[in-house]
Amino acid sequence: MISAWLRDDGRKGIRNVVAVAYLVECAHHVARRIVDKTDDADVHLIGFPGCYPNSYADTVMKAIATHPNVGGLVIVSLGCESFNREGLAAVAAASGRPVETLVIQQNGGTAATIAAGLAAVARVKTIADAGPRGPMAPSELVIGTICGGSDGTSGITANPAVGRAFDRFVAEGATCIFEETGELVGCETIMADRALTPELGAALVASVEKAERYYTVLGFGSFAPGNAEGGLTTQEEKSMGAYSKSGSSPISGIVKPGDIPPSPGLYLLDVVPDGEPRFGFPNISDNAEIVELIACGAHVTLFTTGRGSVVGSAISPVIKICANPETARNLAGDMDINAGRIIEGLATIGDVGDEIYERTIAVAEGARSVSEALGHREFILTYKTFEPVGPACLPRRAAA
């Protein structure tokens, strides 16, 4: 049984992070120096660089400030940005978390705010660390998955192994989230066949068609030069590999960034903005997708890679699963699991799926993932726009 941090909203966390959040790029340096000088593995930097308001960024920041792995919040504002700092603080405080706000223009500038920030982090962390603990079953976990730096091995080793782990977690009553509709082009109809209802199936197809239109307007897709160098030949080939991470369980619904799945099961996270393309590429790096999974409540993210990736995450641990045995040997110090053993005949997909499951439980119980231990806490949040999901996207909620 996992020993978890108990939150006032009934959710449970596997970490107790104090988040230091900057609200505009002008406050980034000050917030980063506060985190660096604190030098604590459980004090993480998050933030939004934009100066003008964006409802998506506001939603994501509020979702992360109240994430079950977050125990407290220190807000760092310049003072004249448009981000609603009072609204963010109010949401965090209403959730029962300690929160303090620093305004650089009112605090006396850089040095004074850094000093005040160090004291604020210490106070917030003391309160957070005194929070209640209690048992948590694996069925209460929310687990996300993404792939980054895919190659010709990804779809035959790491990705289907994650799918096996997902099937096991879903069967035990956990919540699993897969994402990136732009990397599911060509898989929409087989995905729809797994939907709980025909209406949800149609919504799944529509979400992929939206992504395809978006990428067509931009003039490029999610198939990158690195994918081709790694042996992938078509978008559909990449899509089938990415799709295999979802496993074979019925699909319970569609969520968008900041939505919390309302019941256990398997969910698609639609990350492509609604409406006409306005903000460029849907996610400028893998870390943007990790942030969106965290905003949907993911305690842990399973990250598959064939070419190799060294990124991690603020707030939630990232478990790296390497698809390519050569990459696994070359980047051994950055990988949690070598799924490339499947190609070498040293393990089956089922064996690696079980290993992913056990590693996820171990990390939930407190073991540090490799990226955590290395200090990776990357965080990216940019501009997007989304409409709320319709009733067809969450059939169990509609039925209730």
Side-chain angles (χ1 to χ4, degrees), residues 143 160-170 176 302 349 352-357 360:
I143 305 152
V162 167
R164 295 290 183 89
F166 260 29
D167 286 343
R168 185 172 172 184
F169 276 115
V170 171
C176 294
L302 306 178
I349 290 174
V352 177
D354 288 341
E355 186 179 355
I356 294 168
Y357 176 93
T360 303

Side-chain angles (χ1 to χ4, degrees), residues 136-156:
M136 178 182 186
S139 61
E140 297 176 271
L141 286 170
V142 180
I143 305 152
T145 187
I146 74 163
C147 48
S150 299
D151 70 3
T153 68
S154 297
I156 56 177

Side-chain angles (χ1 to χ4, degrees), residues 19-390:
V20 177
Y22 62 90
L23 304 187
V24 66
E25 185 61 24
C26 306
H28 188 167
H29 172 75
V30 171
R32 185 178 66 248
R33 291 297 290 154
I34 291 168
V35 172
D36 289 346
K37 284 177 172 288
T38 300
D39 193 22
D40 188 311
D42 292 317
V43 177
H44 292 193
L45 179 68
I46 66 173
F48 177 61
C51 194
Y52 66 90
N54 179 248
S55 60
Y56 156 79
D58 187 69
T59 295
V60 170
M61 287 286 278
K62 287 176 178 175
I64 292 177
T66 56
H67 188 281
N69 288 354
V70 172
L73 178 69
V74 174
I75 297 170
V76 182
S77 162
L78 174 63
C80 56
E81 71 277 355
S82 297
F83 201 105
N84 184 356
R85 62 176 180 267
E86 292 85 2
L88 179 61
V91 166
S95 74
R97 290 164 172 80
V99 56
E100 295 200 23
T101 300
L102 305 171
V103 181
I104 296 170
Q105 292 170 348
Q106 298 171 11
N107 265 84
T110 298
T113 307
I114 291 171
L118 292 171
V121 168
R123 289 190 296 269
V124 167
K125 193 172 191 313
T126 297
I127 297 170
D129 287 346
R133 305 291 297 271
M136 178 182 186
S139 61
E140 297 176 271
L141 286 170
V142 180
I143 305 152
T145 187
I146 74 163
C147 48
S150 299
D151 70 3
T153 68
S154 297
I156 56 177
T157 61
N159 289 355
V162 167
R164 295 290 183 89
F166 260 29
D167 286 343
R168 185 172 172 184
F169 276 115
V170 171
E172 293 182 0
T175 303
C176 294
I177 308 171
F178 69 109
E179 51 68 62
E180 190 50 273
T181 43
E183 294 185 359
L184 293 170
V185 173
C187 300
E188 56 268 30
T189 56
I190 56 175
M191 193 162 54
D193 289 341
R194 294 167 54 194
L196 286 184
T197 65
E199 294 78 13
L200 173 59
L204 288 165
V205 171
S207 70
V208 177
E209 290 176 343
K210 177 186 71 170
E212 190 170 16
R213 287 193 302 272
Y214 194 103
Y215 283 114
T216 299
V217 171
L218 291 182
F220 54 82
S222 66
F223 191 88
N227 299 143
E229 291 172 5
L232 289 171
T233 61
T234 63
Q235 175 65 57
E236 288 76 13
E237 188 178 32
K238 181 181 181 183
S239 294
M240 286 300 297
Y243 170 75
S244 68
K245 298 197 308 301
S246 69
S248 59
S249 303
I251 297 175
S252 296
I254 300 172
V255 293
K256 294 182 181 181
D259 293 337
I260 307 299
S263 60
L266 177 67
Y267 293 82
L268 171 67
L269 171 57
D270 180 0
V271 302
V272 175
D274 293 319
E276 292 302 313
R278 290 194 287 166
F279 301 118
F281 199 77
N283 278 320
I284 62 174
S285 79
D286 296 325
N287 286 99
E289 297 172 58
I290 295 173
V291 167
E292 291 176 331
L293 285 166
I294 295 171
C296 291
H299 292 99
V300 176
T301 297
L302 306 178
F303 188 122
T304 67
T305 181
R307 298 301 305 276
S309 174
V310 300
V311 301
S313 163
I315 311 303
S316 297
V318 170
I319 296 174
K320 290 285 183 49
I321 302 135
C322 192
N324 188 314
E326 293 183 0
T327 305
R329 285 187 283 270
N330 189 42
L331 294 176
D334 285 276
M335 300 298 154
D336 291 89
I337 294 171
N338 176 12
R341 299 180 352 257
I342 296 168
I343 290 178
E344 296 179 322
L346 301 175
T348 66
I349 290 174
D351 292 336
V352 177
D354 288 341
E355 186 179 355
I356 294 168
Y357 176 93
E358 297 298 337
R359 179 63 173 156
T360 303
I361 297 298
V363 168
E365 290 175 339
R368 297 283 183 177
S369 72
V370 171
S371 61
E372 269 191 297
L374 290 170
H376 282 284
R377 304 174 196 168
E378 288 85 356
F379 188 94
I380 296 175
L381 181 60
T382 55
Y383 286 95
K384 283 189 179 184
T385 183
F386 286 96
E387 299 296 330
V389 296

